[in-house]
Amino acid sequence: MQLVSRAGGKSERVTVDRQHGIYVVEIGGVRHEVDTRALGPWVMSLLVGGESHEVAVVRAGEGVYSVDWRGRSFEVELVDPLTHLAEISRGAAGKQGKKIVKAYMPGRVVDVRVKTGDRVEVGQAMVVLEAMKMQNEIQAERSGIVSRLFVSAGEAVEGGDPLVEID
Amino acid sequence: MQLVSRAGGKSERVTVDRQHGIYVVEIGGVRHEVDTRALGPWVMSLLVGGESHEVAVVRAGEGVYSVDWRGRSFEVELVDPLTHLAEISRGAAGKQGKKIVKAYMPGRVVDVRVKTGDRVEVGQAMVVLEAMKMQNEIQAERSGIVSRLFVSAGEAVEGGDPLVEID
Amino acid sequence: MIPFRKVLIANRGEIAVRILRALREKNIRGAVVYSDADRESLAVLAADEAYRIGPAPSRESYLKAEELVDLAVRIGADAIHPGYGFLSERAEFSRLCRDRGVVFIGPSPEAIGAMGGKVEARNRMIAAGVPVVPGSPGALPDVESARTFAATIGYPVIIKASSGGGGKGMRVARNDAELAEGYRLARAEAGASFGDDAVFLEKYVERPRHIEIQILGDHHGKVVSLGERECSLQRRHQKVVEEAPSTVVTPELRRRMGEAAVAAAKAVGYTNAGTCEFLLDATGNFYFLEMNTRLQVEHPVTEMVTGLDLVIAQLEIAQGQPLGPEFDDVVPNGHAIEVRLYAEDPFRRFAPSPGKIQRLRLPQGPGVRNDSGVFGGSEISIHYDPMISKLIVWGRDRAESLRRLGRAIEELRIVGIRTNVPLFQALLANADFLAAQFDIHWLDRKLESGELAPQGGDEIPEIAVIAAAIAHYERSQRQAGELPQGEGHPSGWRALARRDARRGGGGC
Amino acid sequence: MIPFRKVLIANRGEIAVRILRALREKNIRGAVVYSDADRESLAVLAADEAYRIGPAPSRESYLKAEELVDLAVRIGADAIHPGYGFLSERAEFSRLCRDRGVVFIGPSPEAIGAMGGKVEARNRMIAAGVPVVPGSPGALPDVESARTFAATIGYPVIIKASSGGGGKGMRVARNDAELAEGYRLARAEAGASFGDDAVFLEKYVERPRHIEIQILGDHHGKVVSLGERECSLQRRHQKVVEEAPSTVVTPELRRRMGEAAVAAAKAVGYTNAGTCEFLLDATGNFYFLEMNTRLQVEHPVTEMVTGLDLVIAQLEIAQGQPLGPEFDDVVPNGHAIEVRLYAEDPFRRFAPSPGKIQRLRLPQGPGVRNDSGVFGGSEISIHYDPMISKLIVWGRDRAESLRRLGRAIEELRIVGIRTNVPLFQALLANADFLAAQFDIHWLDRKLESGELAPQGGDEIPEIAVIAAAIAHYERSQRQAGELPQGEGHPSGWRALARRDARRGGGGC
């Protein structure tokens, strides 16, 4: 299976194949033999060569996986090579056009600091959410123009609810 | 729901009913209000009156449940009152006619100490099973006549395999 | 002495579980209350009795003083343990218990009240000879009076606006010249900002450490100190890591601080467990900050180095038992560190990360203690403090307990929510932390400057790509129906959907 | 000293995990081997590296000495830790490691060999002045010679058939008259049973306790004693509960037994961790039984009362480091108890109870330590020892650690397999155990007599009927399709079927 991984800002060619119970994963030309076991939902034990790794993998979206490893979480996106090329050609790789910023926890919106049409930079605070007696700034995960606002101050939101759309 | 519980050699009338989220269980005329929660598979939290109990319930057969509570396991059989009466009348209550003694773990049969037709008493060793480098006597759980032998010395058995039938 | 037969815990989470353990060891029945958000909590599972107290919000449940005392009376509880937070430091709750004939496991309402008001507490401490941060009694009319007062308390000093706040109208002065200049500026700024240019002087404590002394007082007039805890590592005044003993506290300083804490407690007729918080400056001067009139979150580090059980001590004191000789002249044995595990995401400015803990495996083995309020399957609600568990390690010295901490952090598995574990990983890689070189501002400074940014924040380890690729492969195979039964990880992927569909937990 | 960079663990289960913890704290890479039955074990998850060694049966996997050493060489491991059991006490394995240039973390093959043979060991101990059970050098031709020898060692004595066994031809004598009588009967019986009527005399040790001394020896000639462990509670020679210190060992006796153990170790040039097992009689006489030339299962109780980490000590010794002053004159601090949790059913004569642990929640909190080899979802295989976890508690005295043990046992949750927990519940309710009044035969006697039969074995608590009734109700409702979604416990019941269908585990 031919893929392109997009994670941490860089993309690499990835091939995955299963040969009698063992996975062969090639990343940027380097070959890994991987013995895997599912330890119930979410958690996998991987033996890569001799190295033992316990990971938790959750599907976060179409082709997007969040991988927990050693107390940290990493997001990895996998697309097929053609899609990747197409996106590069229209300069959209790692961008996927419009981006909807969601509430990553339930809470109450106490402040909305942007309006549609505003230009926002990465890390800029757009919405302030209150939960667990703390105020939390929801920041722009990429730069762009605010094309849509889904909430206004005082509203209660659930985790996952859309807050702002950036184009 | 009307039931008769048969456990630890004694039987009692039991009624179970669910009223807006709360269970009402009557045992031998005593009424218990029970708030229950499932903590994933097997495990239940029960609040009986104010008392908090964490139990694990596993179905061990038709109407038979094994309940783990405070490090111990208890077997409870539930039948409908008519079946119970019928069985009493033919003096079979708590007996269920033929009883098949099963291997409660995988292992190898090293000795069979009874033959069909033998009379066995409760606790009498019938089969010796070897597992985990230890020899374990499989005993008669009730008295009766050995009506059938399923294994012979040297055979390997899986947990749950029938060993002896007592009538 | 009245032996308790049943105690009601007016709290939740890990501290409720902690108290239940002590009750069980004392063979006293433990009853808890639960809000609708906590019906399936570890505390309810571990309790002998559990009673619903109200909906999720604290003010409708764990803060309902009247209902709690009514319940205690109804179920025949001899006493109420308030834990920390919630009602634990409300004088009126302590009084309410007393009025209703239920023992409050903590100090008297008078003692709580006396320590509750900042001004009253400060004055009583001064009267008791407990050192406080020296300050001018009132406003200083002119630079002369300021210079005179500065001379009495010594430099450095800080000039503050009487009606000020938020840093406005504040100036630090290290000598007469700076004082004259600062006095002028401070008054001008104060006048401009607050329409009142009155200013006063205070001793400026540089790079202070937060050192607190654990004390116990019985109902027979005996008050003892169990030594200090080092709690300088704070994020926005929130303690994150605590240790005992402190690397900067000598036996002689420990004795003096202990004596001050005991004097403070005696000054207000204090009973049960309490903590005197002090600021300690670089030269060994310490100043009383405030007294916490309850059990502290970080009490386990004191337990680890003294071998004492503070909650059991609380119960025995509340039962009227005198403090025995085992509480005299306690010297710390070895070194203990506690880290607070929070359901918060250090990569998102420590935003709370509520949700379901799908998997939990706590570290075990030598020198490791967990005081946890959760299990695999627990729901972390947005209604309460996001602390889910405390990890405490012990070693013969600080170096050993640091190694144990690193090992335990490696061993810990929490799946389903984000936690502040990466912060501890970063701390364990930080030279200042390893050398215990810090003050109460250090952590905020380092987080500001990004020096404690979890290592390799952006760069993705190859193993993550490998895991994702395999998961992706299996998913597509399964969709194409090409993956034979039992191959790969059906459980992983079906379960995901399943779990979302049901309330069941992911393990114990 | 050669610092290790990587160590291979030639073992499995809890001890492999225990060793991995020590390696991580020493910042040494830990590699484990696994049989096909252990691919999903906690040891594999916790290891830095894991390699398949063979099929499930031990002789095809964990006992494959050659393959293990080959693997160590191939992966560049500096040393092999054998744990306990398996190859740990095989002199030839220690030799094989040496020959292949891999450090064996344990004593030399010579020391293992010297202590391995009962006769050679006994003679070397006698030569070293270590007390052994006195016995006649050879057969005694007549009752006269028997009486003379009895006089030298004192009554009571036991007459044994030289070629005997299984109790046949054994007679205890408490005075000359009984000796004459016993001698006659013993010879007759021996002759009849074994066709050889030769008999010899041995001191009869009445109601002995099993007291063992933990020693450490470095490669610079230093050997130290870390005090005793009380291991008298055994079921069929299988230790079940261990404590430190022993209630019957005075500081003076501790010193003498420690000196004997050190002498025993020095007599064979012993290095690394080892244990001298002694029989202790009611009058304070002790007799050398044998030396275990490895780490003991029960080493944690010594760690709990000394604050030392024995596995780390083993690593440092093997690296050539000398034993530091912290190992001198160690005195026990407080009291520790270890119970071994076995997957066996005390209601079925302790028959092994293999299967999947569906749920596991280990006790936590003050004074509790778990050395576990399993997690929720672990499969307990029939191929290995059924010990799944060790629960160790510490208290300031035995009474406190007993209370902690009771609390921890209450807290423990293991669902899916039967365990010997009911035995510990019965022990904690037994006056002799609580008073530490026992000897090595006590447990078997009490189990025989039924005095330790788990309380209320037959009588069923009401809660069990309630739980079963509710489960039954829900099941029938669901079958009738009358139970609306989300009501009751769909998860519980569907999951059951599901779980059987897949390999996934029930929690972490």
Side-chain angles (χ1 to χ4, degrees), chain A residues 35-41 45-47 50-52 54, chain D residues 29 34 39-40 44-45 47-51 502 504-505:
Chain A
D35 179 50
T36 76
R37 290 288 191 286
L39 306 172
S45 164
L46 305 182
L47 295 185
E51 297 212 343
S52 177
E54 187 178 359
Chain D
R29 277 183 77 78
Y34 62 87
R39 168 61 182 86
E40 297 178 13
V44 170
L45 297 183
D48 295 309
E49 302 175 20
Y51 302 91
R502 64 179 164 91

Side-chain angles (χ1 to χ4, degrees), chain D residues 62-70 80 82 85-104 107-114 116-117 293:
Chain D
Y62 299 105
L63 290 175
K64 288 208 154 284
E66 297 279 353
E67 285 75 354
L68 284 160
V69 180
D70 288 343
I80 290 181
F86 294 126
L87 298 167
S88 59
E89 292 187 283
R90 303 261 182 101
E92 61 279 19
F93 185 59
S94 173
R95 181 170 291 104
L96 183 62
C97 290
R98 186 168 62 188
D99 297 346
R100 300 289 303 278
V102 177
V103 176
F104 176 79
S108 67
E110 293 74 17
I112 298 175
T293 56

Side-chain angles (χ1 to χ4, degrees), chain B residues 35 37 39-40 45 47 50-52, chain C residues 39-40 44 47-50 505:
Chain B
D35 179 50
R37 291 287 192 286
L39 306 173
S45 164
L47 295 185
E51 297 211 345
S52 176
Chain C
R39 168 62 182 87
E40 297 178 14
V44 169
D48 295 309
E49 303 176 20

Side-chain angles (χ1 to χ4, degrees), chain B residues 35-161:
Chain B
D35 179 50
T36 76
R37 291 287 192 286
L39 306 173
W42 301 59
V43 181
M44 272 198 282
S45 164
L46 305 181
L47 295 185
V48 185
E51 297 211 345
S52 176
H53 297 283
E54 187 178 359
V55 298
V57 186
V58 183
R59 187 161 167 276
E62 187 48 47
V64 182
Y65 298 86
S66 159
V67 180
D68 286 11
W69 179 65
R70 311 183 90 201
R72 310 252 320 271
S73 286
F74 305 93
E75 216 169 69
V76 178
E77 184 190 11
L78 296 163
V79 293
D80 76 61
L82 296 177
T83 318
H84 181 64
L85 285 173
E87 290 185 357
I88 288 177
S89 60
R90 44 165 247 269
K95 213 155 151 281
Q96 317 107 48
K98 296 180 192 298
K99 165 81 180 175
I100 290 182
V101 179
K102 300 192 171 103
Y104 45 82
M105 60 177 170
R108 203 174 52 80
V109 175
V110 293
D111 190 11
V112 178
R113 301 191 176 162
V114 293
K115 50 188 185 332
T116 40
D118 286 2
R119 161 137 200 104
V120 290
E121 297 306 328
V122 177
Q124 181 177 336
M126 301 188 297
V127 175
V128 181
L129 209 58
E130 188 178 74
M132 285 166 158
K133 304 184 218 63
M134 286 163 67
Q135 301 219 336
N136 311 282
E137 293 182 345
I138 308 295
Q139 306 161 332
E141 293 162 23
R142 49 167 279 234
S143 59
I145 306 297
V146 174
S147 49
R148 197 165 157 208
L149 273 177
F150 298 87
V151 292
S152 55
E155 262 180 57
V157 295
E158 287 305 309
D161 285 0

Side-chain angles (χ1 to χ4, degrees), chain D residues 339-358:
Chain D
V339 298
R340 301 185 182 190
L341 297 171
Y342 285 99
E344 57 186 23
D345 185 347
F347 294 95
R348 281 172 165 155
R349 301 182 159 198
F350 297 91
S353 167
K356 183 195 280 290
I357 297 178
Q358 297 288 354

Side-chain angles (χ1 to χ4, degrees), chain D residues 382-402:
Chain D
I382 59 167
H383 298 286
Y384 314 108
D385 177 284
M387 190 178 75
I388 55 177
S389 193
K390 301 182 308 199
L391 169 58
I392 307 104
V393 295
W394 179 91
R396 276 167 304 149
D397 51 31
R398 188 168 188 266
E400 187 176 57
S401 51
L402 284 170

